[in-house]
Amino acid sequence: MQKCGLFFTTYHSEDQLFPSKFQKTCLGLFMAAMLIAPQVLDFYYISVMNLIMIAVIGAVSLNLLTGVCGQMSLGHGAFVGVGAYGCAVLASKGLPFMPCLIGGGAMAAIAGMIFGIPSLRLKGIYLAISTLAAQLILEYVFLHWTAFTGGANGMPVDSPSMFGFQFDSDEKMFYLIFAITTLCVLGVTNIVRSRSGRAFVAIRDFYQSAENVGINLFRYKLQAFATSSFMAGIAGGLWAYYTMYITPEQFSIGLSISYLAMIIIGGMGSVLGSIFGAVFITLLPEVLNIATSLLATIAPDASAMTAPLKEGVFGLALVLFLIFEPEGLVRKWKLIKAYWKLYPFAY
């Protein structure tokens, strides 16, 4: 008799990240494809994939704070900037790549904890305004603390090196960014499955009940801010090393809004949804650029009129998506999986 579906006889087997052989096979094929990709794709596609992976780290870290723990943040872009500048300053002192990256993440974690202190008394829109204030304060610091950040002139960053190997090309940076992105995604996934993750969810769902059962709200909220900001700092450090030059304009409120859009479009509280959202938000401007370029070859006059509308088209796409799929891309993915699990039956 052939078994149908997944059957578990122990809690350990049920708690696996990839419980079925099919999932493990798909993961292996995906990892193999990612390892081969830099060898078969051209410069443009590799650079876009690098930007997507850095965005994935930022989106996953924000979803841990906002989607899992329920703490709204409009200052995530600034924490990414703290990590980028911290990493750049440490690199200018001659420190190796990994200490610089971890040091930048630690600086961002400290900043996140400081600005996360009001989360004990503030909730919802009030906490969002508090984190918006953090964004504005840190933007001011990036621009005016010239001894540390270089001010409006920005800071150069040399390409990273490890064990004598120089990551001085997009192809080499791809493997480095992919490895760190994989570790960050797995790390957040395991945090969500841990005791701290369950405490985050309890605080998000109903903080008074969480406090009544013995959860220390202040401790776990600060932990969520610190962990999220640390990974945001990692994303900022990778961004600094990849672009090799950072300026305050790169970490404006627009970046914070972009990260918030990623987790809303992808799916709040879902690690996979964060990945979907990061891919969507990063690729949409590229698709609009390609469409505008194609239109320029067909009708140059019309393209001159539509080029300024790219930002409007971008915003309209987000609004329409939120109207017709408010639970995010991850829900659509679940529906697709459910359909093929039940196929050819309708229920």
Side-chain angles (χ1 to χ4, degrees):
M1 183 176 179
Q2 185 70 28
K3 288 186 178 181
C4 180
L6 295 176
F7 297 90
F8 305 104
T9 57
T10 63
Y11 289 115
H12 176 73
S13 61
E14 185 178 5
D15 199 41
Q16 295 181 83
L17 286 177
F18 305 99
S20 69
K21 292 182 179 179
F22 178 76
Q23 291 175 326
K24 294 175 182 177
T25 302
C26 291
L27 177 65
L29 293 175
F30 172 77
M31 298 294 286
M34 291 294 288
L35 293 176
I36 296 173
Q39 310 302 323
V40 297
L41 298 178
D42 62 19
F43 167 80
Y44 171 75
Y45 294 108
I46 295 174
S47 64
V48 171
M49 292 179 70
N50 286 337
L51 295 177
I52 288 174
M53 289 188 291
I54 294 174
V56 165
I57 299 176
V60 167
S61 63
L62 180 59
N63 217 343
L64 177 65
L65 176 65
T66 302
V68 178
C69 194
Q71 307 302 300
M72 180 62 68
S73 175
L74 292 177
H76 206 64
F79 299 139
V80 173
V82 172
Y85 277 107
C87 191
V89 170
L90 293 176
S92 67
K93 304 298 183 183
L95 291 178
F97 167 71
M98 286 306 298
C100 291
L101 191 65
I102 296 174
M107 293 181 190
I110 293 172
M113 292 178 67
I114 292 173
F115 289 106
I117 291 175
S119 65
L120 182 63
R121 301 295 298 272
L122 301 177
K123 300 172 183 65
I125 188 64
Y126 301 102
L127 179 59
I129 297 299
S130 173
T131 56
L132 177 60
Q135 172 73 42
L136 299 177
I137 291 171
L138 290 174
E139 279 188 39
Y140 182 86
V141 172
F142 297 157
L143 185 60
H144 292 90
W145 194 3
T146 56
F148 185 80
T149 66
N153 294 325
M155 290 186 65
V157 184
D158 294 331
S159 58
S161 62
M162 291 180 65
F163 307 110
F165 184 81
Q166 196 78 16
F167 295 89
D168 53 0
S169 67
D170 278 55
E171 292 81 2
K172 296 175 182 177
M173 283 297 297
F174 176 91
Y175 292 110
L176 179 63
I177 297 173
F178 177 62
I180 297 175
T181 301
T182 302
L183 292 176
C184 289
V185 171
L186 290 176
V188 173
T189 302
N190 283 291
I191 289 174
V192 173
R193 287 150 31 100
S194 68
R195 178 185 180 89
S196 296
R198 292 190 291 270
F200 294 162
V201 173
I203 294 172
R204 178 198 65 190
D205 291 343
F206 196 62
Y207 70 94
Q208 289 180 335
S209 296
E211 189 174 24
N212 290 338
V213 298
I215 293 176
N216 188 322
L217 298 185
F218 188 58
R219 170 192 168 189
Y220 282 106
K221 285 182 179 181
L222 280 189
Q223 182 179 339
F225 268 97
T227 306
S228 174
S229 299
F230 176 81
M231 291 191 180
I234 295 295
L238 290 176
W239 172 264
Y241 275 114
Y242 180 60
T243 60
M244 300 182 68
Y245 203 89
I246 53 176
T247 59
E249 292 80 9
Q250 297 171 345
F251 311 107
S252 64
I253 183 64
L255 182 61
S256 297
I257 294 174
S258 295
Y259 280 127
L260 193 60
M262 289 177 193
I263 65 172
I264 293 174
I265 287 176
M268 296 282 283
S270 169
V271 175
L272 184 60
S274 304
I275 298 173
F276 287 159
V279 173
F280 182 88
I281 293 296
T282 306
L283 287 184
L284 185 56
E286 302 297 330
V287 172
L288 294 176
N289 288 333
I290 294 174
T292 303
S293 300
L294 292 176
L295 187 59
T297 60
I298 299 173
D301 296 334
S303 66
M305 297 174 60
T306 57
L309 297 177
K310 286 192 297 183
E311 295 296 331
V313 173
F314 177 75
L316 180 62
L318 298 182
V319 171
L320 292 176
F321 188 89
L322 292 175
I323 291 174
F324 293 105
E325 195 58 66
E327 295 184 28
L329 285 169
V330 71
R331 179 179 179 273
K332 184 65 68 176
W333 172 249
K334 291 178 180 178
L335 292 176
I336 293 173
K337 289 199 304 180
Y339 173 82
W340 287 109
K341 282 182 179 179
L342 297 173
Y343 184 83
F345 304 102
Y347 53 88

